[in-house]
Amino acid sequence: MGKRLNEKTISELAPLVKNKEISPVEIVNDVLEQIETLNEKLNAYILVTAEKARRQAEMAEAEIVSGNYRGPLHGIPVAIKDIIYFANETTTMGSKIHRDFQPSYNATVVEKLTEAGAVFPGKLHLHEYAWGATNNNPHFGPASNPWDTERISGGSSGGSGVATAAHMTIASLGTDTGGSIRIPSSFCGIVGLKPTHGLVSKYGCFPLAWSLDHIGPMTKTVEDAAYVLEAIAGYDPKDPTSIDAPTARYSSQLTESIKGVKIGIEPYFFDNVDAEVEKAVKNAISSLEREGAVVETVRIPTLRYAQYAEMITIISEASAIHHQNLVEREEDFGDDVRFLLKLGEIPSAVDYLQAQQIRLKLGRELVETFNKVDVLITPTLPLLPPKIGQDTVLLNGKEVNFLDHIIRFTGPFNLTGLPAVTVPCGFAQGLPVGMQIVGPAFGEVKILNVADVFEKLHPELKQNPIALRQ
Amino acid sequence: MRESIKMVLQEKGIKVSEWELVLLEHQWKALQQLKKGIETLKLNDADIGITHHPGGVYRGKAVK
């Protein structure tokens, strides 16, 4: 039996839509049917906007039939994390406090996807205010990992990871402040791209930590991530951190060759890593070497302080944002978010400023590193997802606090704003393992190209999650 | 440590239970462990004033 339309990728669907072999209405109907079948079990969506999505698909169909094809996202369902604003539509941020909040304007990324002709099936689940990495949300319940529904999806963009992996959308958007795109992408076995800070506008996205927040694609393939990035990248004067840098046709620059590409390996990223995760990532690097890449060891001394700087920055900025509500209605936050917000009230101004100094030094060292190598490769995470509700996890037989390890490898690239993509590279204990590929500022083409080559070398890694086989 | 955390929070009007204080102290100590040896970094070489410079690292046009 062939794939249903919701199981296909953007690159498979776009030519069929363009040539009028299938209608966007057929695609959205298959997606909505999958949501209907699985959402109770996986809890990926907070809000399903079925009627609106059908209307958008009908409009897309009419435009295409009349000869007005807008491009590869025209008529393609793209679901959005419920922290990104749609005008006059509830945006909960996974919280009790904002449960009924309706913004009056669209986020820039929503405007851009609308211009590209995308269809929006609904709003995706997240950790409360994106402030956490488990997606175990006290107000909306946990999102479940489709590879093992007793385990966490990862977060904070857990709904985006689950919905994309379980074919409840064709693609999605997530946000990433310490790893919140890459963590659920890795745990759910999909591709997640955190672009260079400033490349994608954050206007109309409720902040977690202003200087660390990013919006990016979460997709089934690397090529699909390139298509979504093409649609959402670009300077936006409404976002003060937006950078007026050239964007690219990322999808057309995937060369399918990595001959001579220099891959940097920093031993820091292979210290205290789950043995099976380490093996999967090292095997993946060997596979890239066989394709002609050159592997070099690099040293980035300030990395050992990156987790401290990331944590001080994120807890301080998040607590500044939520300070008034913490003082006035702390009982309306979930236990874990309330705890982190209180933690963020402790650092002094000196602590915060020293964290920014570490950040600058790390950034400079990474500039030097990328003068020597094209990309860095790391495991996306040092460990596998714990069971829902567990604060600790076994790391090579030792019980460790999940929070102490979850952003160890992803956080440095929020601090420095560098682009990083995670791509599935193997399995451990039946769960997907992600490999993170990092590049210099605005080096999206480089990292997507390496990820694309790896993905195409290993079609055996494209499997349906276990929840879909039952 | 626990008393100073309690004082910082209470001065800001934030309620904190004894059990929360235990957890906050534990997590804060874990954070301090991560900065062990920071004095070797020569942090004052890093002039973060550049962050606020128009056209600097994080604002305005990309450095070409």
Side-chain angles (χ1 to χ4, degrees):
Chain A
M1 203 172 93
K3 281 185 190 175
R4 290 172 62 219
L5 296 179
N6 59 300
E7 294 176 45
K8 292 183 183 287
T9 63
I10 297 171
S11 50
E12 289 170 333
L13 290 168
L16 300 174
V17 171
K18 184 181 181 185
N19 296 330
K20 303 173 193 122
E21 291 172 50
I22 57 169
S23 157
V25 178
E26 293 173 81
I27 304 173
V28 84
N29 281 339
D30 276 6
V31 163
L32 291 170
E33 192 182 319
Q34 185 80 340
I35 296 170
E36 180 75 27
T37 307
L38 286 177
N39 203 44
E40 198 176 322
K41 183 177 182 182
L42 299 178
N43 202 16
Y45 281 81
I46 283 181
L47 177 70
V48 180
T49 49
E51 283 317 304
K52 180 179 154 189
R54 284 198 182 94
R55 277 200 309 276
Q56 289 170 334
E58 284 162 7
M59 276 172 59
E61 182 188 66
E63 284 182 354
I64 293 161
V65 167
S66 67
N68 181 20
Y69 179 69
R70 299 191 193 195
L73 294 191
H74 204 171
I76 302 293
V78 181
I80 309 292
K81 183 176 181 178
D82 197 23
I83 198 162
I84 295 172
Y85 297 176
F86 281 80
N88 307 314
E89 199 171 275
T90 304
T91 302
T92 68
M93 302 156 210
S95 73
K96 180 178 176 185
I97 293 170
H98 280 90
R99 196 170 196 126
D100 301 314
F101 172 67
Q102 292 204 338
S104 58
Y105 60 93
N106 282 330
T108 296
V109 288
V110 170
E111 290 285 327
K112 282 177 171 277
L113 287 172
T114 303
E115 280 167 32
V119 169
F120 301 110
K123 308 295 290 294
L124 293 164
H125 201 354
L126 69 158
H127 203 107
E128 182 181 4
Y129 288 118
W131 199 184
T134 65
N135 222 112
N136 189 7
N137 184 313
H139 313 296
F140 295 89
S144 293
N145 192 313
W147 290 90
D148 177 349
T149 52
E150 290 184 3
R151 291 181 190 269
I152 64 164
S153 59
S156 62
S157 311
S160 307
V162 175
T164 308
H167 308 301
M168 298 159 79
T169 182
I170 304 300
S172 60
L173 287 190
T175 64
D176 192 317
T177 308
S180 285
I181 285 174
R182 292 159 287 162
I183 293 163
S185 295
S186 179
F187 281 169
C188 294
I190 62 165
V191 173
L193 170 66
K194 182 199 81 63
T196 303
H197 195 253
L199 181 64
V200 174
S201 170
K202 298 178 289 148
Y203 178 73
C205 177
F206 192 82
L208 169 54
W210 301 281
S211 73
L212 301 166
D213 290 341
H214 301 68
I215 297 177
M218 295 171 69
T219 54
K220 298 176 190 180
T221 66
V222 176
E223 193 176 353
D224 281 8
Y227 281 127
V228 177
L229 183 63
E230 278 165 22
I232 62 175
Y235 178 63
D236 178 12
K238 292 177 189 161
D239 173 0
T241 61
S242 181
I243 297 178
D244 189 6
T247 56
R249 295 294 295 175
Y250 302 99
S251 59
S252 61
Q253 294 192 43
L254 302 177
T255 62
E256 302 193 353
S257 169
I258 51 162
K259 282 205 168 46
V261 168
K262 286 187 184 168
I263 295 173
I265 302 296
E266 212 318 335
Y268 170 87
F269 291 112
F270 292 86
D271 182 36
N272 206 8
V273 175
D274 177 277
E276 286 186 71
V277 170
E278 182 177 351
K279 189 177 166 195
V281 177
K282 285 189 168 166
N283 284 343
I285 294 168
S286 298
S287 165
L288 292 169
E289 262 186 302
R290 287 194 294 276
E291 281 302 294
V294 180
V295 174
E296 282 182 26
T297 300
V298 294
R299 299 282 175 180
I300 306 165
T302 303
L303 261 181
R304 60 182 288 224
Y305 299 105
Q307 195 181 356
Y308 172 74
E310 163 80 13
M311 283 302 292
I312 290 294
T313 307
I314 194 171
I315 63 175
S316 302
E317 293 188 18
S319 294
I321 290 160
H322 293 283
H323 176 79
Q324 207 58 35
N325 281 333
L326 185 65
V327 171
E328 292 173 1
R329 48 192 299 190
E330 69 156 71
E331 65 283 359
D332 289 335
F333 290 102
D335 290 346
D336 62 335
V337 170
R338 187 191 313 120
F339 172 77
L340 286 169
L341 292 176
K342 288 183 180 177
L343 187 69
E345 297 276 354
I346 299 171
S348 67
V350 172
D351 292 326
Y352 183 83
L353 291 169
Q354 284 188 335
Q356 305 321 300
Q357 290 180 301
I358 293 169
R359 187 176 192 171
L360 186 60
K361 283 182 95 73
L362 178 64
R364 286 176 180 161
E365 288 173 15
L366 281 161
V367 167
E368 285 170 25
T369 302
F370 287 116
N371 285 333
K372 296 176 201 149
V373 297
D374 296 298
V375 298
L376 285 174
I377 290 189
T378 84
T380 306
L381 290 144
L383 36 69
L384 295 166
K387 301 257 180 181
I388 292 167
Q390 278 185 349
D391 295 330
T392 60
V393 64
L394 282 179
L395 179 54
N396 294 330
K398 190 181 165 197
E399 194 172 2
V400 297
N401 187 349
F402 180 70
L403 181 66
D404 293 343
H405 292 268
I406 189 69
I407 62 168
R408 197 146 56 86
F409 297 164
T410 50
F413 308 110
N414 294 82
L415 266 185
T416 51
L418 299 182
V421 63
T422 181
V423 61
C425 73
F427 292 91
Q429 296 171 36
L431 300 164
V433 173
M435 167 170 73
Q436 179 175 235
I437 305 166
V438 186
F442 303 101
E444 276 76 4
V445 170
K446 280 186 182 180
I447 62 171
L448 288 171
N449 195 47
V450 174
D452 182 58
V453 166
F454 178 79
E455 185 182 69
K456 285 178 176 152
L457 277 173
H458 294 282
E460 77 280 4
L461 295 173
K462 287 275 166 240
Q463 295 180 20
N464 268 338
I466 288 155
L468 274 62
R469 299 180 214 158
Q470 293 160 347
Chain B
M1 173 70 76
R2 205 171 294 177
E3 277 309 303
S4 62
I5 291 174
K6 188 176 181 178
M7 206 183 301
V8 166
L9 294 177
Q10 285 183 340
E11 277 180 3
K12 296 180 184 183
I14 295 164
K15 289 174 264 180
V16 60
S17 68
E18 284 306 311
W19 177 235
E20 277 180 316
L21 273 176
V22 171
L23 297 177
L24 286 168
E25 182 186 43
H26 176 79
Q27 197 64 45
W28 185 248
K29 280 184 176 167
L31 266 177
Q32 298 311 299
Q33 277 299 109
L34 293 172
K35 69 184 280 200
K36 216 171 162 187
I38 200 174
E39 60 281 0
T40 62
L41 268 188
K42 295 186 182 167
L43 279 182
N44 285 341
D45 290 352
D47 178 357
I48 55 167
I50 196 167
T51 308
H52 304 291
H53 190 273
V57 181
Y58 295 111
R59 285 192 68 184
K61 293 198 179 272
V63 178
K64 298 281 195 305

